[in-house]
Amino acid sequence: MSKKKAAKPAAKKSAATPVKKTQKAVASKPVKAADAAGGNKSRMTENRLFKPSAEFSGKARISSMSQYKKMHEESLKNPDKFFGREAKELHWTKPFTKVLDWKCPSAKWFTGGKLNVSENCLDRHLQGPRKTKAALIWEGEPGEKRVLTYQQLHREVCRFANVLKRHKVKKGDRVVIYLPMIPEAAIAMLACTRIGAIHNVIFGGFSAESIKDRVLDSGAKIIITADGGYRRGAVVPLKKNVDDALKAKDTPVETVIVYKRTGQEVHIEEGRDVWWSRELEYVDAHCPPVTMDSESPLFILYTSGSTGKPKGILHTTGGYLLHAQMTCKYVFDLRDEDVYWCTADVGWVTGHSYLVYGPLAVGATSLMFEGAPNWPENDRFWKIIEEYAVTVFYTAPTAIRAFMKWGDEWLQKHDLSSLRLLGTVGEPINPEAWMWYHTKVGGGRCPIVDTWWQTETGGHMITPLPGATPTKPGTATLPFFGVDVAIVDDLGKEVGTDEQGKLVIRKPWPSMLRGIWGDKARYQDTYWSEFKGWYFAGDGARRDKDGYIWIIGRIDDVLNVAGHRLGTAEVESALVSHPAVAEAAVVGRPDEMKGQGVVCFVTVKEGVKTGRELADELKKHVRKVIGPVATPDEVRFAVALPKTRSGKIMRRLLKQIAAGEIIKGDTTTLEDINVIAQLVASGEN
Ligand code: WT7
């Protein structure tokens, strides 16, 4: 994102730097492994194999590789039969007549079928012993505990669905949910599905500005929020952020429902804002589920892409729920007796599929924790695992690397012997972190499922099956049922063993996104245009000699910072919205803890003083515009950005400079070679 005015005389200044010095400055920097995964070098040579124990396999639903292969083959060759059979495990109000209707890029799954998601997640478990089993176990950051049985959760969902109805929310309406990690988040989501409203959950770490964009884009007429949420002992002012977002002109929002969580005083706008608890007084607990078409929209979730504007990923009902249910069954092997904990926030897709919908669809007990892993101390997670006897644990590599850094003594204080299965998601895991997770957390006995997927895919796509797949530290291994993966070159030809290529999916799958909210063309362009008829994921990958898939990371202009997706263009657009900034280019650099860190190269307007103070101000500015998730790690001031003669910013060079690497590759197209020397020497001061 560049402002035209940016072409300031800066380039002239840099011309004074002799070329010779350029070359020297560039060459003297040390070489580092340049990869998103931090430690990808060892991922190239990793070959240890961990077979599931006979005990685990003996009880698992898929217990051998031959069983996996047979089922995978069937799922690709005969999806109608395979998914037709699997889908029978959902509760359909009206059975579907056709499994798949595919006309790229439009997929329709389970045509003619009707169902309701909340009915599948709640009502159908009320007939037998699950009625009184824990559906949700919750712990707040300050330490409060709540357990909601299936019966209780059902009741709360019905009541809140009636509250939504009272506020005239109808089938197809969009509802923004901006809540902390409290049971009410799941209740609000399920209540939307009960009446056919489309929820749009916004992560609590996003700013007022981001809320505003999402509210406007989705056309939501109602927002569900809380006064605040707890984060490491501090209060996140959620309601205040909503108020600020709604200062925008012409917002479609008519009602704000506020849940009292932190208790501080908040502004209540007469005629617009109502309290959650008061609203419940007007309703009863009877709310029959609305029958939805299999392809009815279920939710929108915004995610970053390679342009400045986040896109509203649209998921629909039948296929999404089936995939969430199937993966909880086959990948997490969830059973009635499990206590399953996914540490993701409901604001991300992982929280949707694997904290709420998947586990509840299979009738499992899902644990929800409001706080951070290191509050009040570094053993909070281990304490929770011990206290609730968690059996299946799903977290992100970033968290694992943080635990490693904090030291083993924190987990040695706790009994983790209840664990039987571990999972990771969000970014490539380095073998060292994988081994630590395996030995220290899993006591060497728990299989690890490294699950590769995306907001767009709705659920796991490449993952081991814990009772069947021998795992290797660092690889997500093999495709899930129905997933036809290929790694191809720019022309769409499959690359050879151990060669890097682009990851594509060649067949539709039930939980694939159905579109980008309000932007048909962008849906087609982003996912289906690079290779005709195939889904392009935006990731680079390679396949090893055993056919295992190693995800290398994003190859588009999207960063993965601590498992959170962030568009470089989004950060650039936030930077240039600051009055001091002329032009900005943002790149990722390998970061041992977070996978990638955010490095910003900034040129300032004429007469602006650069220095640490401005660097800090710009970091704060980005934080304010997008949210704390996007806070830059480094702001480097430059007199000019490296551009080709046609004016394109050479990001490849900036990435190398940010990583402190020797400049590799061709720089002959660079407009002004001296710019490089200045950039290498640039810092925050
Ligand atoms: C991107 C999707 C899927 C929910 C969380 C993130 C990266 C995700 C893995 C993994 C290597 C992974 C990819 C992907 N990613 N899981 N197991 N190994 N990389 O969802 O925000 O949509 O991000 O996360 O780069 O494209 P998301």
Side-chain angles (χ1 to χ4, degrees), residues 3-14 580-583 602-610 637-641 643 671-672 675 678:
K3 276 187 182 169
K4 274 274 140 63
K5 273 182 264 155
K8 49 180 249 138
K12 250 195 238 154
K13 244 191 259 166
S14 67
V581 175
E583 197 176 24
V602 169
T603 63
V604 293
K605 292 198 186 133
E606 202 62 68
V608 172
K609 196 172 153 268
T610 59
F637 295 109
V639 283
L641 298 176
K643 292 197 187 146
E671 191 223 9
D672 178 1
V675 165
Q678 191 276 331

Side-chain angles (χ1 to χ4, degrees), residues 123-141:
D123 306 50
R124 69 164 157 157
H125 303 309
L126 300 183
Q127 311 312 322
R130 279 185 191 151
K131 182 173 170 179
T132 51
K133 110 173 226 189
L136 274 185
I137 296 177
W138 175 79
E139 189 167 301
E141 188 182 271

Side-chain angles (χ1 to χ4, degrees), residues 129 301 374 546 578 648 675 677:
L301 187 60
N374 55 349
D546 299 320
H578 188 283
K648 255 185 97 180
V675 165

